[in-house]
Amino acid sequence: MTTVAAIGTPHGKGGVAMVRVSGESAFEVASRVFAPSSPKKFSEFPHGVACYGSFTDKKGIFDDGICILFRAPHSFTGENICELYCHGGLLVTKRLLAACLASGAVMAGAGEFTRRAFINGKISLTQAEAIGGIIDSVSEKHLEISARQANGSLSRSLASIYDELKLLAASVYAYIDYPDEDMTDVSIEEMRERLSEIKSKLLRLSGSHTYGRAISEGVVTAIVGKPNTGKSSLLNSLCGEERAIVTDIAGTTRDVVTETVHLGDVILRLSDTAGIRESEDTVEKIGIERSIKAISDAALVLAVFDMSRPIDDDDKRLIESIFELGKESKTVCILNKSDIANEFCHKLPFERTVTVSALNNEGLDSLVETVSMMFGAGEIGENDEIVVNARQAAAVDKALSAVSSALDALDGFTQDIAGMDIELALAAIAEADGRSVSEDIVNEIFSHFCVGK
């Protein structure tokens, strides 16, 4: 591979910036731009030790800083790597990169260094994706899971399932090759038992994706209700700041106000919508139509009702809309204004109900717990693996479907019929952890990485 270089720190001013060079001639490139302050030869630099010196180009010395060499194969990419640390100014950083490119390196593409680590067998594809998760994480839970998976936890779980399937496949091959000699060491009953255990593991992995998506991508959420129930107060309470206008005048919110907030470990992509009621106001009617669409698009609906007032036709109209759109199972009924509630004795037709005072930030802990449980937090054990991204989830679901078919095949058929489904499951797991994945998929994954990673 060619020797590549890129800036490995964010664009902008800072105390320190870093340019990374990787490839067979990385040390030669670095030796042309870095002059050590010690008399030690460049080839004598110890592995992984910072050396102080000056950076030069054809115009002369332009900065001082540090050079660290990592010798192959004991580096992140598995190649020779040189990391050059200069002062974090825009001009000096660009000049250091330009000096590296003029000395024989070429510009790295997006995710080039992590891609080389994957190609050279230093990390699995799931580890590479977890590194992207560390960079992109927006919640503490997402960061925690990404860090664990960057160290190989998900790779090991998938490898364990792959090895179990491989043993069963080998037994099937023995049966096919020697049908009359009973060469297989796994009976149909034992195969059924092992496949059931594998299915249970895949079910847990598949089921974890709901929670994984909620803590990484976020949940599309609509706050709905008739005017003046406290929808905007709830939005402001969840945001921790005044994000929406709050008045006693009905119909203040006429468009959809969006915000991203953290509710416990779950991320909500919130939309505060116009109050749903009968209206002749043209602008308000457009806002109400958008509110209905927000309910239709939402994975979570926070339906707000005012405990200080009796249920009226507008409340009933909202409830009907939620049920007509099939969103009742995705809805949390929020009884707001508990601080000024009268005798509220209405039984609303929702499975989940939380009582709050959005104005006083009361009852939000119950909302956190309810939403977390809706998106699978209660089904996740402390040490359970969590599938975060959609590619991995699709591969796991494919493996789960194949294993289920293999189990069905064992009822009334011979092992060779189940063997075809076992092979499909093996292929799906291989796709999940990158053992067997198309170049197009690899290109797509690394195209989302920043240059320099």
Side-chain angles (χ1 to χ4, degrees):
M1 290 187 190
T2 56
T3 296
V4 295
I7 298 170
T9 44
H11 182 74
K13 292 183 178 180
V16 177
M18 184 267 284
V19 172
R20 179 181 287 120
V21 186
S22 180
E24 187 176 350
S25 59
F27 296 167
E28 288 80 357
V29 170
S31 68
R32 296 180 187 123
V33 301
F34 180 75
S37 59
S38 70
K40 186 177 293 186
K41 293 180 180 179
F42 204 85
S43 60
E44 297 173 350
F45 281 17
H47 173 86
V49 175
C51 300
Y52 175 74
S54 301
F55 296 116
T56 65
D57 59 12
K58 61 183 180 181
K59 295 181 180 179
I61 295 174
F62 60 88
D63 195 14
D64 63 340
I66 288 171
C67 172
I68 305 177
L69 304 185
F70 300 94
R71 289 182 167 79
H74 307 295
S75 70
F76 175 68
T77 63
E79 304 170 334
N80 287 334
I81 285 184
C82 182
E83 292 185 352
L84 305 168
Y85 295 84
C86 63
H87 289 97
L90 287 169
L91 182 59
V92 67
T93 308
K94 288 181 179 179
R95 189 165 171 181
L96 178 55
L97 175 61
C100 292
L101 298 178
S103 298
V106 298
M107 189 68 193
E112 181 71 28
F113 299 99
T114 309
R115 181 192 181 102
R116 290 185 176 211
F118 167 64
I119 290 172
N120 293 327
K122 300 295 290 186
I123 57 175
S124 69
L125 196 57
T126 54
Q127 286 176 287
E129 289 171 312
I131 291 169
I134 290 174
I135 295 170
D136 295 334
S137 57
V138 291
S139 71
E140 288 294 331
K141 194 66 178 179
H142 187 198
L143 176 59
E144 175 191 325
I145 291 165
S146 296
R148 194 167 70 203
Q149 293 184 355
N151 285 323
S153 62
L154 182 57
S155 294
R156 288 189 290 273
S157 293
L158 292 172
S160 174
I161 294 172
Y162 186 89
D163 289 343
E164 291 174 38
L165 287 168
K166 189 167 62 174
L167 287 173
L168 294 179
S171 176
V172 171
Y173 298 149
Y175 174 83
I176 293 171
D177 291 340
Y178 304 100
D180 299 322
E181 299 182 29
D182 194 23
M183 295 292 290
T184 177
D185 57 352
V186 180
S187 66
I188 288 181
E189 198 53 48
E190 186 179 355
M191 183 172 286
R192 184 180 289 111
E193 184 178 334
R194 290 190 186 182
L195 284 172
S196 296
E197 291 174 359
I198 292 169
K199 182 178 179 179
S200 296
K201 292 178 182 179
L202 290 171
L203 277 170
R204 286 196 296 273
L205 282 175
S206 177
S208 72
H209 183 51
T210 299
Y211 181 64
R213 187 170 58 240
I215 64 173
S216 57
E217 300 173 19
V219 179
V220 177
T221 305
I223 303 177
V224 297
K226 71 183 182 184
N228 254 6
T229 55
K231 300 184 302 299
S232 295
S233 294
L234 179 62
L235 174 68
N236 292 340
S237 184
L238 294 174
C239 292
E241 61 179 344
E242 191 169 319
R243 180 64 180 82
I245 299 171
V246 178
T247 73
D248 292 331
I249 303 171
T252 305
T253 303
R254 294 198 168 203
D255 203 347
V256 177
V257 179
T258 59
E259 190 63 72
T260 298
V261 303
H262 290 77
L263 194 68
D265 292 331
V266 175
I267 301 165
L268 301 185
R269 309 291 184 189
L270 277 178
S271 297
D272 176 23
T273 64
I276 296 176
R277 63 173 177 178
E278 285 292 331
S279 175
E280 298 302 321
D281 184 288
T282 302
V283 176
E284 188 176 4
K285 285 175 73 175
I286 294 171
I288 292 169
E289 288 173 4
R290 292 181 178 178
S291 298
I292 298 298
K293 186 178 187 306
I295 296 174
S296 177
D297 294 341
L300 172 65
V301 178
L302 303 180
V304 185
F305 299 89
D306 186 350
M307 292 184 70
S308 69
R309 292 184 286 172
I311 295 295
D312 60 17
D313 288 342
D314 288 332
D315 291 310
K316 293 175 182 177
R317 193 172 293 109
L318 169 64
I319 294 170
E320 288 173 5
S321 296
I322 290 171
F323 275 79
E324 285 173 2
L325 292 168
K327 295 292 181 176
E328 63 273 15
S329 65
K330 303 293 185 182
T331 298
V332 178
C333 172
I334 297 181
L335 303 179
N336 190 27
K337 304 186 182 181
S338 61
D339 52 316
I340 57 172
N342 295 320
E343 293 185 8
F344 189 87
C345 57
H346 301 280
K347 177 67 175 175
L348 299 181
F350 295 106
E351 179 184 347
R352 304 173 186 86
T353 299
V354 175
T355 302
V356 305
S357 169
L359 188 65
N360 298 328
N361 294 330
E362 295 173 358
L364 295 184
D365 288 346
S366 296
L367 181 58
V368 170
E369 183 178 353
T370 299
V371 171
S372 295
M373 292 300 174
M374 283 180 71
F375 290 90
E379 301 166 13
I380 305 295
E382 185 176 348
N383 298 316
D384 284 354
E385 281 303 327
I386 298 172
V387 176
V388 173
N389 75 46
R391 186 197 68 81
Q392 295 168 0
V396 167
D397 286 344
K398 196 184 299 182
L400 176 59
S401 176
V403 169
S404 297
S405 295
L407 278 167
D408 291 341
L410 289 177
D411 293 329
F413 297 97
T414 52
Q415 290 175 321
D416 54 327
I417 304 299
M420 292 186 291
D421 291 308
I422 292 172
E423 286 187 352
L424 290 175
L426 276 167
I429 296 297
E431 182 182 327
D433 70 0
R435 292 169 191 254
S436 174
V437 66
S438 73
E439 187 175 351
D440 287 343
I441 291 175
V442 172
N443 290 339
E444 173 64 21
I445 290 168
F446 289 107
S447 70
H448 296 290
F449 279 58
C450 57
V451 174
K453 185 56 197 167

